[in-house]
Amino acid sequence: GNSVTQMEGPVTLSEEAFLTINCTYTATGYPSLFWYVQYPGEGLQLLLKATKADDKGSNKGFEATYRKETTSFHLEKGSVQVSDSAVYFCALRRLRAGSYQLTFGKGTKLSVIP
Amino acid sequence: GAGVSQSPSNKVTEKGKDVELRCDPISGHTALYWYRQSLGQGLEFLIYFQGNSAPDKSGLPSDRFSAERTGGSVSTLTIQRTQQEDSAVYLCASSWVSWSDRGEYGYTFGSGTRLTVV
């Protein structure tokens, strides 16, 4: 079946540090890939997405590239800010039996300290 | 509405009681999903509604869980005879979907209902 594995947290970084959160997936065919973010006390929000191999999703300084050869979709940001502190979820979406079901990783908590 | 609305935001119930959780999706979104977020377990898919199609119930953990979506809009998730392991945040999401959709439309999540079974 479909599955998503992302690095376990928590991750603590200093402001302006480089961020990488690893995400790998298992799925048949060609899933769409997503990163969602959950800020403290808020619901999940779509951060970025990529729908085919070699696509790069980007938003708010975050980037992730759909790598089919390594089945990965790692999240990166060159210089994190305190306001980026949140839980980040990698997810894939695959059409299965008429259902576009999102499969999530377990989430990675990021804390950015001044 | 402007976003996905869930109610109540918090619910404390006694073990063995039934609970109903409500989700009001974004107007015009044809797809509606329920997920459960437990501490340290990530998000667990429960059920998916798409238009008039039969729902995908493959994620419901037991027959104590059921959901319906009336008129293609509001959805209610019902948990009967609640158990302590049902304690979690229940999230609803909606999306516009077409069968040619390659995931161009993200899901919009509600803020969730935090259920505590005591």
Side-chain angles (χ1 to χ4, degrees):
Chain A
N2 300 333
S3 67
V4 175
T5 302
Q6 59 181 106
M7 63 187 289
E8 295 193 17
V11 175
T12 302
L13 295 175
S14 298
E15 208 166 19
E16 299 184 1
F18 184 85
L19 169 71
T20 300
I21 300 178
N22 289 338
C23 172
T24 58
Y25 67 90
T26 301
T28 55
Y30 302 93
S32 297
L33 301 174
F34 303 82
W35 278 99
Y36 278 81
V37 59
Q38 187 174 33
Y39 297 103
E42 299 184 15
L44 273 80
Q45 303 173 28
L46 177 64
L47 180 60
L48 53 83
K49 62 183 185 290
T51 59
K52 60 183 187 295
D54 300 325
D55 266 3
K56 176 185 284 187
S58 61
N59 186 26
K60 299 181 180 180
F62 290 88
E63 292 183 342
T65 301
Y66 190 142
R67 301 287 188 198
K68 187 160 178 62
E69 64 275 13
T70 55
T71 62
S72 65
F73 193 54
H74 304 322
L75 182 68
E76 297 182 335
K77 186 173 185 181
S79 176
V80 294
Q81 305 301 312
V82 173
S83 57
D84 295 326
S85 298
V87 182
Y88 293 82
F89 293 90
C90 185
L92 68 83
R93 189 167 88 167
R94 170 111 170 83
L95 179 61
R96 170 186 169 275
S99 171
Y100 279 108
Q101 184 185 126
L102 261 183
T103 301
F104 287 87
K106 292 189 175 184
T108 303
K109 183 177 181 180
L110 170 66
S111 296
V112 180
I113 55 177
Chain B
V4 176
S5 178
Q6 291 188 245
S7 61
S9 55
N10 279 285
K11 176 72 176 178
V12 180
T13 190
E14 292 181 353
K15 178 182 173 181
K17 295 285 180 68
D18 298 351
V19 294
E20 284 190 353
L21 313 180
R22 176 188 168 103
C23 174
D24 201 342
I26 290 175
S27 178
H29 278 189
T30 56
L32 186 147
Y33 307 78
W34 283 98
Y35 285 83
R36 179 166 69 175
Q37 185 176 20
S38 304
L39 189 63
Q41 296 300 314
L43 280 86
E44 175 187 7
F45 167 77
L46 296 177
I47 189 169
Y48 162 75
F49 296 91
Q50 166 59 23
N52 295 321
S53 302
D56 176 356
K57 303 180 182 180
S58 60
L60 294 178
S62 77
D63 58 9
R64 296 186 295 106
F65 287 72
S66 63
E68 62 177 20
R69 187 179 185 191
T70 54
S73 181
V74 172
S75 177
T76 302
L77 176 69
T78 301
I79 309 173
Q80 296 179 310
R81 305 180 303 281
T82 51
Q83 303 295 312
Q84 288 186 326
E85 61 262 28
D86 300 334
S87 296
V89 176
Y90 289 82
L91 294 171
C92 175
S94 69
S95 174
W96 168 253
V97 173
S98 71
W99 296 118
S100 62
D101 182 12
R102 283 289 302 150
E104 292 298 324
Y105 306 102
Y107 296 15
T108 301
F109 281 82
S111 297
T113 295
R114 181 176 296 278
L115 175 66
T116 304
V117 181
V118 297

